Amino acid sequence: MGTDEDEVIKILGHRSKEQITKIDHEYRVQSSGGNSLYHALKHELSGSFGDLAISLATPTVELKRMHLQAAVEGLGTRESTLIDVFTQSSNHEIQEIVKDAQLYQHILSDISGDFKAAILGVIKGERPSSDISDDEAAKLAGEFYKAGEGKIGTDENKYIKILTSHSLAAVKRIDKHYQAKHKHSLEKAIKSETSGDLQDILVALTRTPAEYFASRLHRAISGLGTNERIVNFVFGLLSKHELHEAGKIYKAKYKESLEDAIKGDTSFNYKKLLIELLK
């Protein structure tokens, strides 16, 4: 009989994860075979539109786990995916994800060096949630400077320890003191002192989810073609409020609205659903 894709867009484009979970429960009750909404969408839809719909219908922790599993399949690991998940998840989410012992071991066996040390700092899911005092922040800003820009060479372990053992609120306070003393941000210091995947994960640890995912979306959309895997993950993960916050940062930083960027780089039902999610 076919699928009313406009109705799918209307429903998924204006429902939270919690609401979609309730819809899924009712769908299972009413379905003759007890099938889930996830399996129905997977069966009825295809392409980028289907992938996005499935991301929206997948609970947050499971979506992040799937993102990780796709990253470690085959030869090598997409380190950017590890950064997406482990720097932008709550302690509870991380602890739930790493209950998959096989996935946990696969991740750790495929990375090394300072990047692995940084991942080990966050994969425990024990990053504090509390802020720190201005005196403590000023002290840590001084330690951060001495570990990098204030010496020859860089003490990467000190960078990792400071950023992985303090909350985002604390890191933002440290950054405020660093800027006051050295006239530029922790991010600029990190970029001048480190490189590659280590740089990426340390920078990510200084950013709010909205700041981080605005940057990820720009990287996914700009240039030739669109990295739909990243777009689907971000849109499937963030709430409408979080997408709006990311959109504000996107426009301020890149001088183009996220909606216009999406319109210029996508098409058909895929574009319709993305735009609906931004409303």
Side-chain angles (χ1 to χ4, degrees):
M1 296 293 288
T3 302
D4 186 340
E5 296 180 345
D6 286 337
E7 190 66 18
V8 171
I9 292 168
K10 182 179 176 182
I11 293 171
L12 294 182
H14 295 280
R15 299 295 188 282
S16 66
K17 284 284 188 192
E18 292 77 13
Q19 290 170 325
I20 293 173
T21 298
K22 290 178 181 177
I23 293 171
D24 176 56
H25 176 74
E26 289 301 317
Y27 189 90
R28 288 171 190 261
V29 171
Q30 295 179 28
S31 171
S32 58
N35 290 327
S36 67
L37 180 61
Y38 173 95
H39 285 98
L41 293 170
K42 193 174 181 66
H43 177 72
E44 294 291 334
L45 306 178
S46 61
S48 303
F49 175 55
D51 291 341
L52 176 57
I54 288 167
S55 292
L56 291 164
T58 304
T60 299
V61 169
E62 184 58 27
L63 179 62
K64 291 182 176 184
R65 189 182 287 116
M66 288 166 57
H67 196 50
L68 287 170
Q69 286 169 335
V72 299
E73 287 176 355
L75 295 174
T77 295
R78 281 196 295 263
E79 283 78 2
S80 60
T81 300
L82 306 189
I83 298 170
D84 288 343
V85 173
F86 291 118
T87 68
Q88 304 301 318
S89 296
S90 68
N91 287 339
H92 173 71
E93 288 172 344
I94 292 172
Q95 289 163 9
E96 287 297 307
I97 289 165
V98 300
K99 283 180 179 178
D100 184 332
Q102 186 176 4
L103 176 61
Y104 178 82
Q105 291 302 325
H106 201 155
I107 289 167
L108 294 185
S109 68
D110 226 23
I111 55 177
S112 60
D114 292 325
F115 180 71
K116 183 172 185 176
I119 287 292
L120 285 169
V122 292
I123 203 171
K124 294 175 290 186
E126 296 176 354
R127 198 177 180 197
S129 58
S130 57
D131 201 349
I132 56 176
S133 68
D134 278 312
D135 286 346
E136 180 67 9
K139 174 176 169 292
L140 289 167
E143 290 181 14
F144 204 92
Y145 178 75
K146 289 176 184 176
E149 294 182 305
K151 67 191 287 288
I152 296 173
T154 306
D155 184 347
E156 290 88 354
N157 287 332
K158 175 64 76 172
Y159 273 15
I160 292 166
K161 183 178 180 182
I162 289 174
L163 294 177
T164 62
S165 61
H166 292 89
S167 67
L168 179 61
V171 170
K172 289 293 189 184
R173 193 176 295 275
I174 296 166
D175 183 49
K176 183 183 76 172
H177 284 275
Y178 199 96
Q179 290 193 49
K181 186 76 179 284
H182 304 292
K183 310 307 177 189
H184 60 259
S185 65
L186 289 178
E187 179 171 332
K188 185 172 181 180
I190 291 165
K191 287 182 175 179
S192 72
E193 294 293 318
T194 63
S195 61
D197 297 322
L198 177 64
Q199 179 184 111
D200 290 343
I201 192 170
L202 296 180
V203 167
L205 288 165
T206 71
R207 292 177 172 176
T208 66
E211 291 167 342
Y212 178 78
F213 286 118
S215 175
R216 283 295 272 148
L217 285 170
H218 182 258
R219 202 182 312 176
I221 296 168
S222 62
L224 293 174
T226 300
N227 187 333
E228 294 170 354
R229 178 181 61 83
I230 296 302
V231 173
N232 293 344
F233 175 69
V234 176
F235 273 76
L237 182 67
L238 301 185
S239 67
K240 270 191 177 288
H241 172 72
E242 290 168 331
L243 277 173
H244 291 161
E245 289 301 305
K248 290 175 187 175
I249 292 168
Y250 192 101
K251 186 168 186 179
K253 190 171 183 179
Y254 304 113
K255 312 307 177 188
E256 178 186 32
S257 73
L258 182 53
E259 183 173 339
D260 285 345
I262 291 292
K263 284 179 177 176
D265 232 39
T266 59
S267 58
F268 305 114
N269 285 328
Y270 183 51
K271 176 168 73 174
K272 286 182 184 179
L273 181 51
L274 288 169
I275 298 304
E276 204 69 23
L277 289 162
L278 288 172
K279 289 182 179 177

